């Protein structure tokens, strides 16, 4: 049987160690290397089944554009109140840097302006954004340590939570003393509002079908839902690079799923939209 994208992702607890290392390397990097380290951190998340699931659960029903607007205050950038929203917010923010939707240098100058220059601004950004992100992800990862198994759980609203593995004692934050001192390239998306609306509706249709089909085992349904939520979030961001990446993941996931035939019409429709908007 062909393996799906989800099957070949790493599902070991080593991911949290790699995540910690990537956060520490980002926090201790010089400003000139910041964007490269952000990409490395996102890659750690992308290759881990457990971290990918955790982030995906936090992203459900999350509106980054609305939260970003709310986060902008006269005193700088204010993270959302809940841990779940903070995780989703920082992940989307890092993704927007990585896909060049948000000019990283301009962002730092806007919210972390410092007369000592870019290195100081970046250091402040890490203290206020990366350190809480690391702490929140680690706490969420081990939050369900007392659960008897790690199977996804679905509530009455169809939302899924992901219990995780064995417990781990909370150590002192390894990023606390990691700080020391980019090359933004803003990219304009060629996609108009109609294109984004069409792609978003196609994603929601797939999500709706997968969520309603109780005949398919929860693992297979959640695999599709998780990747499709990621695609929908990329569409919401309006960034072509992220949309292309998540579409490939979604297409391959559906192809390997027992729901492939059931989603054949929706898959073909989405493929036509991808071709129409030159995203293939």
């Amino acid at each position: 049987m062909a393996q799906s994208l989800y099957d070949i992702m790493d599902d070991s607890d080593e991911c949290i160690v790699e995540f910690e290392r990537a956060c520490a390397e980002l926090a201790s990097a010089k400003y000139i290397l910041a964007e490269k380290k952000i990409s490395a951190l996102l890659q750690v998340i992308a290759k881990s089944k457990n971290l990918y699931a955790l982030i995906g659960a936090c992203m459900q029903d999350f509106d980054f554009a609305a939260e970003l607007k709310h986060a902008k205050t006269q005193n700088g950038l204010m993270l959302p109140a809940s841990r779940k929203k903070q995780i989703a917010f920082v992940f989307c923010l890092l993704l927007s840097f990585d896909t060049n939707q948000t000019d990283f240098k301009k962002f730092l100058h806007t919210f972390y302006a410092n007369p000592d220059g870019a290195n100081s601004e970046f250091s402040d950004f890490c203290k206020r954004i990366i350190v809480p992100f690391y702490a929140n992800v680690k706490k969420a990862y081990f939050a369900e340590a007392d659960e008897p198994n790690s199977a996804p759980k679905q509530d009455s609203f169809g939302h899924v939570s992901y219990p995780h593995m064995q417990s781990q004692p909370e150590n002192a934050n390894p990023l606390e003393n990691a700080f020391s001192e980019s090359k933004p390239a803003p990219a304009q998306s060629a996609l108009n509002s109609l294109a984004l609306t069409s792609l978003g509706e196609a994603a929601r249709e797939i999500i709706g079908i997968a969520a309603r089909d109780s005949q398919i085992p929860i693992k297979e349904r959640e695999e599709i839902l998780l990747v499709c939520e990621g695609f929908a979030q990329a569409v919401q961001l309006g960034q072509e690079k992220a949309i292309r990446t998540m579409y490939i993941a979604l297409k391959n996931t559906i192809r390997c799923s027992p729901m492939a035939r059931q989603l054949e019409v929706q898959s073909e429709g989405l493929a036509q939209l991808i071709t129409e908007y030159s995203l293939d």
Side-chain angles (χ1 to χ4, degrees):
M1 180 181 295
Q3 287 186 312
S4 70
L5 176 68
Y6 196 69
D7 288 330
I8 64 177
M9 294 168 72
D10 182 18
D11 63 356
S12 73
D13 282 336
E14 181 67 21
C15 67
I16 201 66
V17 177
E18 293 184 16
F19 176 76
E20 177 181 304
R21 184 183 302 117
C23 287
E25 288 180 357
L26 172 59
S28 61
K30 300 294 185 181
Y31 166 75
I32 192 66
L33 296 176
E35 289 175 304
K36 181 178 180 181
K37 296 300 183 180
I38 287 173
S39 293
L41 174 56
L42 292 174
Q43 288 171 18
V44 168
I45 294 172
K47 73 178 184 180
S48 166
K49 186 180 295 185
N50 297 333
L51 289 177
Y52 194 72
L54 188 155
I55 298 293
C58 292
M59 295 277 283
Q60 288 184 348
D61 302 320
F62 181 75
D63 187 337
F64 177 57
E67 292 292 341
L68 179 59
K69 182 177 181 181
H70 182 70
K72 296 176 180 178
T73 70
Q74 292 182 339
N75 297 319
L77 199 69
M78 181 79 66
L79 289 175
S82 74
R83 178 190 298 166
K84 179 179 178 181
K85 283 190 174 182
Q86 284 191 23
I87 290 174
F89 182 87
V90 177
F91 175 77
C92 289
L93 187 63
L94 295 178
L95 183 61
S96 74
F97 296 147
D98 190 50
T99 57
N100 294 321
Q101 184 187 13
T102 299
D103 185 320
F104 187 50
K105 183 177 181 180
K106 183 177 180 180
F107 177 89
L108 292 180
H109 287 340
T110 300
F111 296 107
Y112 304 99
N114 191 307
D116 293 331
N119 286 334
S120 296
E121 292 173 349
F122 175 59
S123 178
D124 196 21
F125 162 79
C126 287
K127 291 175 183 176
R128 296 174 182 269
I129 300 295
I130 302 304
V131 169
F133 181 58
Y134 163 75
N136 284 328
V137 169
K138 186 176 180 182
K139 288 176 182 177
Y141 189 89
F142 294 107
E144 304 293 340
D146 295 329
E147 293 290 338
N149 59 62
S150 59
K153 296 186 176 181
Q154 193 168 22
D155 64 20
S156 58
F157 296 97
H159 297 160
V160 176
S161 60
Y162 296 82
H164 286 291
M165 314 350 135
Q166 71 262 13
S167 180
Q168 173 171 310
E170 290 290 335
N171 298 319
N173 193 329
L175 307 187
E176 198 169 43
N177 299 314
F179 301 103
S180 59
E181 301 199 323
S182 234
K183 56 184 183 186
Q188 297 297 322
S189 174
L191 299 175
N192 56 33
S193 59
L194 177 61
L196 296 176
T197 298
S198 298
L199 291 168
E201 289 177 351
R204 285 191 292 274
E205 185 175 356
I206 293 174
I207 290 172
I209 293 174
R212 291 192 299 269
D213 191 344
S214 59
Q215 302 302 313
I216 301 297
I218 184 68
K219 179 181 178 181
E220 281 74 15
R221 282 193 291 144
E222 280 309 312
E223 183 175 343
I224 290 178
L225 289 170
L226 182 63
V227 180
C228 198
E229 286 283 359
F231 174 77
Q233 186 64 41
V235 171
Q236 185 178 340
L237 289 173
Q239 175 55 36
E240 293 183 19
K241 179 181 176 181
I243 293 173
R244 285 192 178 94
T245 300
M246 291 310 303
Y247 170 68
I248 292 172
L250 178 59
K251 179 178 67 174
N252 291 337
T253 299
I254 292 177
R255 180 182 297 164
C256 298
S257 168
M259 296 188 69
R261 292 192 63 183
Q262 185 177 348
L263 292 171
E264 185 175 355
V265 173
Q266 289 71 28
S267 297
E268 290 180 356
L270 180 56
Q272 290 176 1
L273 290 175
I274 292 294
T275 299
E276 179 180 347
Y277 299 130
S278 300
L279 292 168
D280 50 3

